[in-house]
Amino acid sequence: MNKLKRYFDKHRLLILLVVILFYGNTLKNGYSLDDSFVTEKNNITANGVRAIPKIVKSFYIQGTEDLQFDYRPMVKISFAIEHELFGVNPNVSHFFNLLLYLIGLYLLYSVLRLLFSTYHKDISLYCVILFAIMPIHTEVVSSLKNRDILLCFIFCMIGVKHFVLFLEADLKKWMSLCVSFVGFYLAFLSKYDVLPYLAITPIVVFAKDRKHLKWAIGFCVLFLVIYVLFRLTKRGMVGKGTTQRAYNYFENPLFFEKGIKYKIIATFNSLGFYLAQSVFPFKMCCYYGADTIPVLKLNYHGFIGIAFTPLLILGLIRSYIKKNYMLLVGIIVFCASISMYLNFVKPAVGIVADRFTFFASLGVAIAVIALLKSVLSIEDKMPNNFKISAIVLIIIFGIITIKRNTDWYDAHTVISADAGKYPDNAYLNYKKGIDLVQSTLHKNGTQSAEQQRANIIEARTYLERSIKIEPNYANSRNYISYVLVYLLNDFNAALPHINRSLAYKETTDLYYYKGICFRETKQYDSSEFYLLKCIAMDSRYYKAYGLLAYGYNLNKEHQKSIELFQNAIKNGVETLEIYNALGKTYFEIQNNDEANTYYQKALKLDPSNQEAAAMVKRTSTTNHISVK
């Protein structure tokens, strides 16, 4: 008990208070954008701990065969354990996100106390508090999908902490080295953001004490072994997988523009963005992309990046020569962490993201406190001007953070909040269109028909704007096709969108939409052609069978319906719908024996099927009367 009291000293209690004040309102949040990747009732994690063997053998994004990538089993394992113990509840999930953030901050405090052991302990506290209150962290803490970053950060801090403990114990605490090894390995299993610690850890331990040069080099070897182990684990569990997919221009023009000039421009723009967002988060967004953050021309972020590049280089050199260890650590942590997301080596989907700043913002916090320490001589006693500035900063950051947490309440609130900030964002217009449709359908019965139609027309406007921004955005075209066909019945307007989408990727749904459009515009031969194409692509696509049979039977072409369904059965498609449809067709041509046969087969597949049961009785009675 005394040990616990000593651990929760006033510094750690202050960190706890900051987390509660800044992020306590996330406990009321529900599921938000993309949380379904890792949780919610339909996710594998809802099955609890029994899902863990399947989780470790699955990709992080487990879609179709041509869309499965990344390996981050730790995040889904954490949700599986949580759901086993507490059920599937978004409020509980947000509590654990908050707890993980607090654990990460406590570990960070321990690491900084070790690294800055020659400084007053308050200095480490100031770094942690500044890092903790940065509004740029709201996406990571408020979005359940980003638990992978929190877990990766925790395991990175465990890795660094125990490697430093190993060195400071004169290499005697081999258990600490083992814990460090496991920590970094689990960090890789959480998210790839651990990779910069290949550079960060050896540099900071060598700069702290140059006698550790051999172990700094040894750490690099150890880290590479961990990386190889991670790669072998991934290959052993999921194989190579499919990591390539088609990209849209708005996601990042650098997927299409390969010139070195554009990479350099993108690097400066990205660097300036991350620096600006760390210090003053202006118009935070759940998704950026082209026309929000340019990469082919410099904007004001780029000029910030250009201005700070020599300052960062000069800061590294000067802090090393002057032995300003704290400033050196801050710059190294920032530069190494952000290097993954500068769009130079590899384009980032979305170009930039608030969550990409999480690890790098630690470097900003350390560097800022180091500079303030030098300028204001901060040590154990804070000058009054520093106190006043700190209070003002906490109030400003607190207001921004608390407000942004409410934006992340659910997918509707975050899309509504961000779409207005960036009206030329193709992705946000697409999501806004979907959100309007889904919320309207969800409120079906509580709104007038006129209001529902007005909402759907507004959704169409957002989707059309998305397509205008990015003409090749298949997702927007697919969804507007659905809206035009099913909700607005504007079949002529739907066809161009369907054709453009089909040029991108052929799907049964699109061919089915096309079949409906031709049918409703009285082009029956074309409708039949595309509905048969649906069936050729997927013999179990029953909607196409149903629409074809309806048309055949309406035109008294019952034999075509019979042949259609008989071919389905020959191809192994023996479903309740097929048997019911065959029974209905035979009944319409007054062949009650065959009708009875197929309705009985339907009833055998599903004894509770009321239609089949009623028709078996009806056709049996009819047969009995006719025989009599």
Side-chain angles (χ1 to χ4, degrees), residues 248 466-481 493-507 510-511 514:
N248 291 291
S466 174
I467 293 167
K468 184 178 180 180
I469 297 166
E470 176 51 80
N472 295 320
Y473 193 9
N475 287 349
S476 282
R477 288 197 182 273
N478 290 348
Y479 203 77
I480 199 172
S481 299
L495 275 170
H497 294 297
I498 294 169
N499 290 332
R500 284 291 294 269
S501 289
L502 283 169
Y504 173 77
K505 185 178 181 180
E506 295 179 279
T507 69
L510 287 170
Y511 279 124
K514 196 166 184 177

Side-chain angles (χ1 to χ4, degrees), residues 22-23 101 130-140 277-281 284 354 393 396-402 404-405 408:
F22 275 64
Y23 287 98
Y101 189 49
L130 179 56
F131 175 74
I133 67 175
M134 285 184 172
I136 199 67
H137 297 170
T138 48
E139 181 176 5
V140 173
Q277 288 292 89
S278 296
V279 177
F280 185 75
M284 287 183 285
D354 293 345
L393 183 67
I396 294 173
F397 275 13
I399 292 171
I400 296 172
T401 298
I402 293 169
R404 186 59 180 166
N405 290 337
W408 279 101

Side-chain angles (χ1 to χ4, degrees), residues 101-150:
Y101 189 49
L102 179 64
I103 291 171
L105 295 175
Y106 280 167
L107 285 166
L108 172 62
Y109 179 64
S110 299
V111 169
L112 295 184
R113 286 288 303 274
L114 287 170
L115 295 179
F116 305 145
S117 56
T118 58
Y119 296 79
H120 192 278
K121 64 180 181 178
D122 285 351
I123 294 297
S124 297
L125 176 67
Y126 300 153
C127 293
V128 174
I129 294 296
L130 179 56
F131 175 74
I133 67 175
M134 285 184 172
I136 199 67
H137 297 170
T138 48
E139 181 176 5
V140 173
V141 182
S142 301
S143 168
L144 298 176
K145 178 185 78 73
N146 291 300
R147 183 178 290 187
D148 50 4
I149 296 176
L150 293 173

Side-chain angles (χ1 to χ4, degrees), residues 278-508:
S278 296
V279 177
F280 185 75
F282 179 64
K283 292 205 308 185
M284 287 183 285
C285 188
C286 60
Y287 189 92
Y288 291 90
D291 295 319
T292 303
I293 301 294
V295 296
L296 304 183
K297 61 181 180 180
L298 286 171
N299 71 341
Y300 69 94
H301 287 129
F303 292 114
I304 293 173
I306 291 172
F308 267 85
T309 297
L311 292 177
L312 289 170
I313 296 172
L314 181 63
L316 278 174
I317 297 172
R318 185 175 176 81
S319 60
Y320 181 78
I321 294 173
K322 296 291 186 179
K323 297 183 179 180
N324 187 340
Y325 178 63
M326 188 176 176
L327 181 60
L328 177 67
V329 170
I331 297 174
I332 288 294
V333 169
F334 173 78
C335 292
S337 297
I338 210 61
S339 64
M340 293 181 62
Y341 297 112
L342 292 181
N343 290 288
F344 188 82
V345 176
K346 183 180 179 181
V349 176
I351 304 175
V352 293
D354 293 345
R355 64 185 179 276
F356 294 166
T357 320
F358 187 83
F359 275 74
S361 63
L362 172 58
V364 174
I366 294 171
V368 167
I369 298 300
L371 290 171
L372 289 175
K373 179 182 180 300
S374 300
V375 174
L376 300 177
S377 301
I378 300 172
E379 198 62 52
D380 57 335
K381 186 177 181 181
M382 291 189 295
N384 287 332
N385 55 352
F386 178 81
K387 289 180 181 179
I388 295 171
S389 299
I391 292 171
V392 171
L393 183 67
I394 288 172
I395 292 173
I396 294 173
F397 275 13
I399 292 171
I400 296 172
T401 298
I402 293 169
K403 170 61 175 65
R404 186 59 180 166
N405 290 337
T406 61
D407 289 345
W408 279 101
Y409 177 79
D410 59 23
H412 168 75
T413 54
V414 74
I415 291 298
S416 297
D418 293 355
K421 300 175 189 174
Y422 297 103
D424 294 327
N425 188 311
Y427 176 82
L428 290 177
N429 278 289
Y430 161 65
K431 284 293 187 180
K432 182 66 175 177
I434 290 179
D435 180 64
L436 271 169
V437 170
Q438 291 179 344
S439 60
T440 300
L441 296 179
H442 180 70
K443 295 176 183 176
N444 187 27
T446 63
Q447 293 180 327
S448 66
E450 292 78 9
Q451 183 60 54
Q452 288 181 24
R453 185 169 179 82
N455 290 344
I456 299 300
I457 291 173
E458 185 182 1
R460 175 182 180 175
T461 302
Y462 280 105
L463 293 166
E464 287 176 340
R465 186 185 300 164
S466 174
I467 293 167
K468 184 178 180 180
I469 297 166
E470 176 51 80
N472 295 320
Y473 193 9
N475 287 349
S476 282
R477 288 197 182 273
N478 290 348
Y479 203 77
I480 199 172
S481 299
Y482 159 77
V483 169
L484 292 170
V485 171
Y486 282 108
L487 304 180
L488 294 176
N489 303 138
D490 193 343
F491 306 107
N492 288 317
L495 275 170
H497 294 297
I498 294 169
N499 290 332
R500 284 291 294 269
S501 289
L502 283 169
Y504 173 77
K505 185 178 181 180
E506 295 179 279
T507 69
T508 49

Side-chain angles (χ1 to χ4, degrees), residues 69-213:
F69 52 88
D70 283 341
Y71 186 62
R72 308 174 194 173
M74 291 305 299
V75 62
K76 289 188 178 180
I77 288 173
S78 75
F79 279 108
I81 295 171
E82 172 196 317
H83 296 334
E84 179 73 24
L85 297 174
F86 304 101
V88 183
N89 185 317
N91 304 128
V92 172
S93 296
H94 283 290
F95 169 79
F96 280 105
N97 256 33
L98 208 61
L99 181 61
L100 290 171
Y101 189 49
L102 179 64
I103 291 171
L105 295 175
Y106 280 167
L107 285 166
L108 172 62
Y109 179 64
S110 299
V111 169
L112 295 184
R113 286 288 303 274
L114 287 170
L115 295 179
F116 305 145
S117 56
T118 58
Y119 296 79
H120 192 278
K121 64 180 181 178
D122 285 351
I123 294 297
S124 297
L125 176 67
Y126 300 153
C127 293
V128 174
I129 294 296
L130 179 56
F131 175 74
I133 67 175
M134 285 184 172
I136 199 67
H137 297 170
T138 48
E139 181 176 5
V140 173
V141 182
S142 301
S143 168
L144 298 176
K145 178 185 78 73
N146 291 300
R147 183 178 290 187
D148 50 4
I149 296 176
L150 293 173
L151 289 170
C152 184
F153 185 75
I154 286 172
F155 291 128
C156 281
M157 292 302 103
I158 290 173
V160 174
K161 176 182 177 179
H162 285 273
F163 186 71
V164 174
L165 287 174
F166 168 71
L167 295 181
E168 294 194 348
D170 295 325
L171 316 183
K172 292 178 181 179
K173 289 189 176 180
W174 288 97
M175 183 56 69
S176 291
L177 186 62
C178 293
V179 173
S180 177
F181 183 96
V182 173
F184 283 117
Y185 175 65
L186 293 177
F188 268 115
L189 293 176
S190 301
K191 201 169 189 286
Y192 218 54
D193 286 14
V194 60
L195 195 59
Y197 278 79
L198 170 63
I200 293 171
T201 307
I203 291 175
V204 298
V205 298
F206 168 70
K208 187 174 190 295
D209 192 335
R210 298 184 184 184
K211 73 178 182 180
H212 293 317
L213 175 60

